[in-house]
Amino acid sequence: EAQVTQNPRYLITVTGKKLTVTCSQNMNHEYMSWYRQDPGLGLRQIYYSMNVEVTDKGDVPEGYKVSRKEKRNFPLILESPSPNQTSLYFCASSLDRGNYGYTFGSGTRLTVV
Amino acid sequence: AQSVTQLGSHVSVSEGALVLLRCNYSSSVPPYLFWYVQYPNQGLQLLLKYTTGATLVKGINGFEAEFKKSETSFHLTKPSAHMSDAAEYFCAVSDLGAGNMLTFGGGTRLMVKP
């Protein structure tokens, strides 16, 4: 089944403790992206990647890092999480520049206390 | 820069009534436009998209949307609401000139009353 898999689905952590949210897609998509969803703000792009070793900032990159060492994986790293990073996170992938529409993962609900 | 405005964060309709969810966008270049649906505790699912060609676009589950360039709008409609349509709906615009930027509106939560 074609899908984007994120882990974990739920995560509660403490301020300053580094964490990684994994994202993997099995569709051989070149484009991958991370979004955060906050009430009333819709989804805002954090980082995106157009191919292996090619990443760029989205609208809200501060406090996040990404890497794209393999085509299928695009982990999101929070080096020192803070409470304002409490949010619902989505990974998405697309065959090209998103113009065919993204396939989204099921989301990761992160709480930073 | 591109932006998307969805009028009405909550819309309530009766089962069988017309669904109309409004979306207006701004973009400096001809846009690609999308509607996504999000059911509780799930990711976003693509409902329909406009890229080029016919301005009336049909999607899944009986939804359709019409691209009106003069009004910079891409409203989503469904003739007859079903209880299973209750979800949050997001309009999005893609600007080819901005890398891979897909900009979302704030979302509209659709409630369907029996």
Side-chain angles (χ1 to χ4, degrees):
Chain A
E1 181 188 351
Q3 60 185 358
V4 175
T5 303
Q6 292 178 233
N7 281 296
R9 288 292 307 274
Y10 301 92
L11 179 60
I12 301 175
T13 190
V14 296
T15 299
K17 185 176 181 181
K18 180 179 179 180
L19 66 91
T20 299
V21 183
T22 64
C23 173
S24 179
Q25 50 93 5
N26 62 359
M27 296 165 282
N28 202 37
H29 284 171
E30 289 194 351
Y31 283 76
M32 297 187 74
S33 185
W34 276 102
Y35 288 86
R36 61 178 287 173
Q37 182 181 9
D38 301 289
L41 298 178
L43 281 82
R44 294 176 293 169
Q45 192 175 50
I46 303 171
Y47 269 94
Y48 64 92
S49 169
M50 289 183 276
N51 213 326
V52 175
E53 302 291 1
V54 180
T55 63
D56 209 345
K57 297 177 181 179
D59 280 334
V60 289
E62 294 78 19
Y64 304 95
K65 284 176 56 176
V66 293
S67 68
R68 188 93 182 273
K69 294 184 172 58
E70 308 163 282
K71 197 171 188 178
R72 63 183 292 126
N73 295 323
F74 191 46
L76 179 70
I77 303 157
L78 284 72
E79 294 270 3
S80 183
S82 63
N84 65 12
Q85 293 178 297
T86 292
S87 187
L88 180 58
Y89 292 86
F90 287 101
C91 180
S93 72
S94 174
L95 184 62
D96 68 347
R97 298 172 69 177
N99 303 320
Y100 287 95
Y102 278 106
T103 299
F104 281 81
S106 297
T108 296
R109 187 167 292 281
L110 172 66
T111 302
V112 184
V113 298
Chain B
Q2 55 196 15
S3 66
V4 179
T5 301
Q6 291 183 240
L7 196 61
S9 58
H10 293 80
V11 169
S12 181
V13 301
S14 298
E15 192 172 20
L18 171 72
V19 175
L20 170 60
L21 304 183
R22 300 179 187 274
C23 172
N24 288 89
Y25 70 91
S26 68
S27 176
S28 58
V29 298
Y32 286 13
L33 295 158
F34 306 82
W35 275 100
Y36 285 85
V37 60
Q38 184 181 30
Y39 298 104
N41 299 314
Q42 294 187 25
L44 278 73
Q45 179 183 0
L46 182 65
L47 265 182
L48 50 79
K49 66 178 184 278
Y50 168 79
T51 53
T52 58
T55 55
L56 182 62
V57 180
K58 295 187 185 300
I60 61 173
N61 300 339
F63 284 93
E64 61 183 35
E66 186 171 12
F67 169 55
K68 291 188 177 180
K69 185 177 179 181
S70 61
E71 298 177 8
T72 60
S73 69
F74 191 56
H75 301 330
L76 181 70
T77 60
K78 181 174 180 177
S80 176
H82 192 272
M83 296 296 291
S84 62
D85 295 327
E88 189 152 21
Y89 293 80
F90 293 93
C91 182
V93 59
S94 173
D95 183 343
L96 294 183
N100 199 31
M101 191 70 72
L102 188 65
T103 301
F104 285 85
T108 297
R109 184 167 298 281
L110 175 66
M111 294 166 284
V112 182
K113 298 175 290 187

